[in-house]
Amino acid sequence: VKATQQHTKEHNRNLVLRTILEQDGISRAQISRVTGLTRTTVSEIVAGLMAEGLVRETGVGSSRGGKSPILLSLVADSRQVVGLDLGPSGFQGAIVDLRGRIRQSVEVPVHDRDGEIALASVHRLLESLLGGGPRPLVGIGIGAPGLVDAAHGVVVNAVNLGWRNLPLAKLLEERHQLPVKLLNDSQAAAVGEHTFGRGYRSDSSLVVINVRHGLGAGIVLNGALFHGDGGSAGEIGHVVVVREGGAACRCGNVGCLETVASIPAVVSRAQALAGHAESTALAGVPGTVTFDLLVQAFAAGDPVARQVVLEAGRFIGMAVSGLVGTLNVRNIVLSGGVTRFGEPLLDIIRATLAQSTLTRLARDTRVEYAQLGRHEIVLGAAALVLKDYSLLFKLRGPRAMAS
Amino acid sequence: VKATQQHTKEHNRNLVLRTILEQDGISRAQISRVTGLTRTTVSEIVAGLMAEGLVRETGVGSSRGGKSPILLSLVADSRQVVGLDLGPSGFQGAIVDLRGRIRQSVEVPVHDRDGEIALASVHRLLESLLGGGPRPLVGIGIGAPGLVDAAHGVVVNAVNLGWRNLPLAKLLEERHQLPVKLLNDSQAAAVGEHTFGRGYRSDSSLVVINVRHGLGAGIVLNGALFHGDGGSAGEIGHVVVVREGGAACRCGNVGCLETVASIPAVVSRAQALAGHAESTALAGVPGTVTFDLLVQAFAAGDPVARQVVLEAGRFIGMAVSGLVGTLNVRNIVLSGGVTRFGEPLLDIIRATLAQSTLTRLARDTRVEYAQLGRHEIVLGAAALVLKDYSLLFKLRGPRAMAS
């Protein structure tokens, strides 16, 4: 009974906290109506949240006859969390508050693939963020590239960082005395968009397709990140989409989505075509087509750049069709470097979707670019920590208040 | 507080009931250890379940020093539910007990596509099942073909039955005074396999690909049927897989998976090839290739039959690759008429999967045929009702005990 009572108490406390988080400026009576908890219970819980510094009274609402209600708000700065994005070409870190606002951010470049140096860069990044005086920190969230075992906090394989089976969460927990949560970058992006992007209901579904150096998806179903039986849900970049004459993929198969739609894939395809075409700005620079150049050429209407990007868009559109046909997810978000191709890329993806799955499902689906931009992985990593409400009540790590 | 206490009470009651259901012959002390509830709470709840007739004491276990423990079992026959499979070429119905055993079953043929006649057949089927004297019925579960709005219990469109926007659940609830739950056939098959098939953990994931006249999937994620934002998760039959030169699909698009892998698709492909081939048993019967004939020819090693079935298998294998790459679901089950092609079809699906997604994911995935055979949709529809434990405590419908 004791365990059950404690569980019920925490459940109710989290329910009230979430209600205040979602409806800023709500009164105790409104919380009671929304949650079904009695006014007495709500008042007791609110008193506890105020004592913890998480909630405060911020004003008086308009009365409908009786006493004017007192309005409650979250104290957004009362807890903070560190979010890290360990992108293969540079690390970002930020201190984020309860509302997903970035209070401080740092970047460090990563130049080579030596695992020790990369790990030292993580330490430097964290020291720079944590060294600025006492903060009410509750945890560290990390989005890492490559194959990640989120359940055990291990980077299984990140080729570009030179990491294999690195128990990153444990290393950092011991060093900083803070809870650490780890996801792969696409999963972190999905959590970030779903939590802090505009307009997603807390129980809705969302797939973020992250196209950078690699290509992967993060899948949020009914409001929760979906991991799959083995923790690898979202590995759509290594589903074979070219059945004949495809290119070899780094995963060992041939014709994977990543070989036709990732940034290196479109750049190398542009390179190959530029050698044979005449009327292209890219032809003048054989051997030196870069992603920046391709983005510029595409924006300028260059025919080779258009062909390459639209081909990639059709493949991404086919992948979106599969996702929509399988999961009936109404919100599909594209993130990463490919967003620089702008509306024309979205248009071809939407057109492909319309031709490639049930009209009714395609019509109900929105395909958009990510809203959070370059901070989405940092914010998603932070959001993952914030979603574990139990952490918000543990401000007792020695480092947390005293650093 | 009252509402919360009531909620906790029901939660604990369901927890104890599920524990007895999953571990037949468990003692009160063991239940206490498994659930974390105190012995007093467990004893109170068990007394209630025994008073309801759901549980009984079935023997005495071996003692480890103290008093010998009394063992508890579910009374499988204490509640029953009706499951219906409204297949396009014939309706099946059964009365199913708490352990998924079929106590009685009935079939009625369905010959034409007149919606009124089809509905009359449903009524006849139910009357035949319900007319046999008083039974402890708690509800009716239905698996229907076509497009189903499960949330509202409406058959939106079932071409072969002549139904459009038929509020089937409401009609039957009023007629029989029993709760009615409705799913599409693939979803029902997935619930059936997950609940009553061997060896699935209650929180595991499973995708059932149902290949009959149509082709669709039922998706169980972390133990619960996944519906998608619009209720249409699993419509993989209408994802386009033939990018050039595909056949027109009844959905209005071209080249859908259903046009190359459903039973009508393989039969018509065999028909087309038989006209041009010589060394085939199917060539002798132009215009008359049936599914039965194709199954026989395939088993006999007929080259045209093999070509047709293996082509379909590769397309199904590509769809499985997409599912595994997206969801990292380790159990994929194939059901419906195509299971008659036996192991060679599974082999080509497995081989395609191995080539078409990450080796690590493919290796961890089992692709098997359904275990429940022709009753899986009836059992799945029944399971859906049984999973709503609250219904097990409501034996008060006038029809339920008095029919």
Side-chain angles (χ1 to χ4, degrees):
Chain A
V1 174
K2 226 182 203 170
T4 308
Q5 279 177 343
Q6 184 58 31
H7 183 264
T8 304
K9 242 175 144 168
E10 277 176 28
H11 174 85
N12 292 344
R13 183 196 71 191
N14 294 348
L15 191 62
V16 170
L17 183 59
R18 198 177 71 210
T19 307
I20 298 171
L21 207 160
E22 287 174 2
Q23 299 182 47
D24 198 53
I26 195 173
S27 72
R28 288 173 179 80
Q30 286 170 313
I31 294 172
S32 170
R33 271 197 296 280
V34 170
T35 60
L37 299 170
T38 64
R39 291 211 185 192
T40 313
T41 305
V42 170
S43 290
E44 278 172 19
I45 292 172
V46 167
L49 294 174
M50 290 176 66
E52 288 273 354
L54 277 160
V55 165
R56 68 169 167 223
E57 298 178 340
T58 46
V60 176
S62 56
S63 158
R64 283 188 296 185
K67 220 173 103 185
S68 296
I70 296 168
L71 308 183
L72 301 166
S73 287
L74 195 74
V75 183
D77 237 359
S78 66
R79 302 292 187 275
Q80 296 178 343
V81 54
V82 176
L84 300 186
D85 172 3
L86 306 184
S89 56
F91 293 174
Q92 278 185 53
I95 290 181
V96 177
D97 74 13
L98 291 176
R99 290 242 172 256
R101 285 179 303 208
I102 291 178
R103 315 302 301 184
Q104 184 186 336
S105 70
V106 182
E107 292 188 33
V108 298
V110 178
H111 294 299
D112 61 47
R113 297 175 180 205
D114 181 305
E116 287 298 321
I117 297 179
L119 185 58
S121 298
V122 174
H123 291 323
R124 219 167 57 244
L125 188 67
L126 278 172
E127 270 149 31
S128 152
L129 283 169
L130 298 173
R135 287 178 170 279
L137 289 170
V138 295
I140 300 171
I142 304 176
L147 177 59
V148 168
D149 176 349
H152 300 97
V154 173
V155 180
V156 178
N157 194 3
V159 176
N160 290 295
L161 299 176
W163 290 346
R164 275 192 90 92
N165 295 315
L166 180 74
L168 187 60
K170 191 155 163 269
L171 283 177
L172 299 180
E173 273 176 4
E174 283 168 3
R175 196 180 172 103
H176 297 288
Q177 301 293 313
L178 282 169
V180 175
K181 295 189 183 253
L182 182 67
L183 286 181
N184 82 35
D185 47 11
S186 303
Q187 293 174 327
V191 174
E193 287 293 326
H194 191 268
T195 310
F196 298 123
R198 273 157 313 193
Y200 301 115
R201 284 172 47 118
S202 59
D203 62 346
S204 65
S205 300
L206 171 72
V207 175
V208 171
I209 301 176
N210 187 34
V211 188
R212 307 206 277 183
H213 188 83
L215 192 159
I219 302 175
V220 172
L221 299 180
N222 301 334
L225 184 67
F226 181 71
H227 291 276
D229 288 329
S232 293
E235 287 284 6
I236 62 169
H238 300 287
V239 172
V240 171
V241 296
V242 183
R243 292 191 64 189
E244 275 162 41
C249 182
R250 58 189 173 126
C251 78
N253 281 332
V254 172
C256 299
L257 180 59
E258 206 172 277
T259 67
V260 290
S262 66
I263 287 176
V266 292
V267 169
S268 102
R269 176 97 172 115
Q271 186 78 63
L273 288 180
H276 303 286
E278 294 190 356
S279 60
T280 171
L282 299 171
V285 284
T288 59
V289 173
T290 62
F291 184 55
D292 282 340
L293 214 56
L294 182 61
V295 169
Q296 285 165 30
F298 181 74
D302 180 86
V304 164
R306 285 194 68 80
Q307 182 187 338
V308 166
V309 174
L310 298 187
E311 272 174 15
R314 271 190 289 272
F315 278 112
I316 297 173
M318 295 294 286
V320 169
S321 304
L323 284 165
V324 171
T326 303
L327 297 173
N328 187 201
V329 169
R330 287 184 173 162
N331 288 295
I332 304 283
V333 164
L334 203 63
S335 78
V338 290
T339 58
R340 292 175 63 195
F341 292 121
E343 282 299 308
L345 176 61
L346 281 185
D347 288 343
I348 187 77
I349 293 172
R350 290 174 184 142
T352 305
L353 172 64
Q355 287 162 15
S356 309
T357 194
L358 287 175
T359 307
R360 172 175 54 83
L361 299 189
R363 198 185 48 217
D364 288 347
T365 303
R366 293 193 320 169
V367 182
E368 305 284 354
Y369 282 136
Q371 296 168 348
L372 302 180
R374 54 191 289 276
H375 288 299
E376 62 177 357
I377 292 172
V378 159
L379 288 172
L384 190 74
V385 177
L386 295 176
K387 275 176 183 294
D388 185 348
Y389 286 152
S390 66
L391 296 179
L392 304 184
F393 296 89
K394 287 175 192 155
L395 278 178
R396 285 156 207 98
R399 177 90 193 195
M401 294 299 291
S403 67
Chain B
V1 174
K2 227 182 203 168
T4 308
Q5 279 178 342
Q6 184 59 31
H7 184 264
T8 304
K9 243 176 144 167
E10 278 176 28
H11 174 84
N12 292 344
R13 184 195 70 191
N14 294 349
L15 192 62
V16 171
L17 183 60
R18 200 178 70 210
T19 307
I20 298 172
L21 208 158
E22 287 174 1
Q23 299 181 47
D24 198 53
I26 195 172
S27 71
R28 289 173 179 79
Q30 286 170 313
I31 295 172
S32 171
R33 272 196 296 279
V34 170
T35 60
L37 298 170
T38 64
R39 291 211 184 191
T40 314
T41 305
V42 170
S43 290
E44 278 172 20
I45 291 173
V46 167
L49 294 174
M50 289 175 66
E52 288 272 354
L54 277 160
V55 166
R56 68 168 167 222
E57 298 177 340
T58 46
V60 175
S62 56
S63 158
R64 284 188 296 184
K67 221 174 103 186
S68 295
I70 296 168
L71 308 182
L72 301 166
S73 287
L74 194 75
V75 183
D77 237 359
S78 66
R79 302 293 187 275
Q80 296 178 343
V81 53
V82 176
L84 301 186
D85 172 4
L86 307 184
S89 57
F91 292 175
Q92 277 184 54
I95 289 181
V96 177
D97 74 13
L98 292 177
R99 290 242 172 255
R101 285 180 303 208
I102 291 179
R103 316 302 304 185
Q104 183 186 337
S105 71
V106 182
E107 292 188 34
V108 298
V110 177
H111 295 297
D112 62 45
R113 299 177 179 204
D114 181 306
E116 286 298 321
I117 296 178
L119 184 58
S121 298
V122 175
H123 292 321
R124 217 165 60 245
L125 188 67
L126 277 172
E127 272 150 29
S128 151
L129 283 169
L130 298 174
R135 287 179 170 279
L137 289 170
V138 295
I140 299 170
I142 304 175
L147 178 59
V148 167
D149 177 349
H152 299 97
V154 173
V155 180
V156 178
N157 193 3
V159 176
N160 290 295
L161 299 175
W163 291 347
R164 275 192 87 92
N165 296 316
L166 180 74
L168 187 60
K170 190 154 166 268
L171 283 177
L172 299 180
E173 273 175 4
E174 284 168 3
R175 196 179 172 104
H176 298 286
Q177 301 293 311
L178 282 169
V180 175
K181 294 189 183 255
L182 183 66
L183 287 180
N184 82 34
D185 46 11
S186 304
Q187 293 175 326
V191 174
E193 286 293 326
H194 192 269
T195 310
F196 297 123
R198 275 158 313 194
Y200 301 115
R201 283 172 48 115
S202 59
D203 62 346
S204 65
S205 299
L206 172 72
V207 175
V208 171
I209 302 177
N210 186 34
V211 187
R212 307 207 278 185
H213 187 82
L215 191 160
I219 301 174
V220 173
L221 299 180
N222 301 334
L225 185 68
F226 181 72
H227 291 276
D229 288 330
S232 293
E235 288 285 7
I236 63 169
H238 300 287
V239 173
V240 171
V241 295
V242 183
R243 294 190 65 188
E244 274 161 42
C249 182
R250 58 191 171 123
C251 78
N253 281 333
V254 172
C256 298
L257 180 59
E258 204 172 278
T259 68
V260 290
S262 67
I263 287 178
V266 292
V267 169
S268 102
R269 176 96 173 114
Q271 185 78 63
L273 288 181
H276 303 286
E278 294 192 355
S279 59
T280 172
L282 299 171
V285 285
T288 59
V289 174
T290 62
F291 184 55
D292 282 340
L293 215 54
L294 183 60
V295 169
Q296 285 164 30
F298 181 74
D302 182 87
V304 164
R306 285 194 69 79
Q307 181 187 340
V308 166
V309 174
L310 298 187
E311 273 175 13
R314 272 189 288 272
F315 279 112
I316 296 173
M318 295 293 287
V320 169
S321 304
L323 285 165
V324 171
T326 304
L327 297 174
N328 186 201
V329 169
R330 288 184 172 162
N331 287 296
I332 304 282
V333 164
L334 203 65
S335 78
V338 289
T339 59
R340 293 175 63 196
F341 292 120
E343 282 299 309
L345 176 61
L346 281 188
D347 288 342
I348 186 77
I349 294 173
R350 290 174 185 142
T352 306
L353 171 64
Q355 288 162 14
S356 308
T357 192
L358 287 175
T359 307
R360 174 174 52 84
L361 299 188
R363 199 185 47 215
D364 289 347
T365 303
R366 294 194 320 172
V367 183
E368 305 283 354
Y369 282 136
Q371 297 168 347
L372 302 180
R374 54 190 288 277
H375 288 300
E376 62 178 359
I377 292 172
V378 159
L379 287 172
L384 190 74
V385 177
L386 295 175
K387 275 176 182 295
D388 185 348
Y389 286 151
S390 65
L391 295 179
L392 304 185
F393 297 88
K394 287 176 192 153
L395 278 177
R396 287 158 205 95
R399 178 86 192 199
M401 293 300 290
S403 70

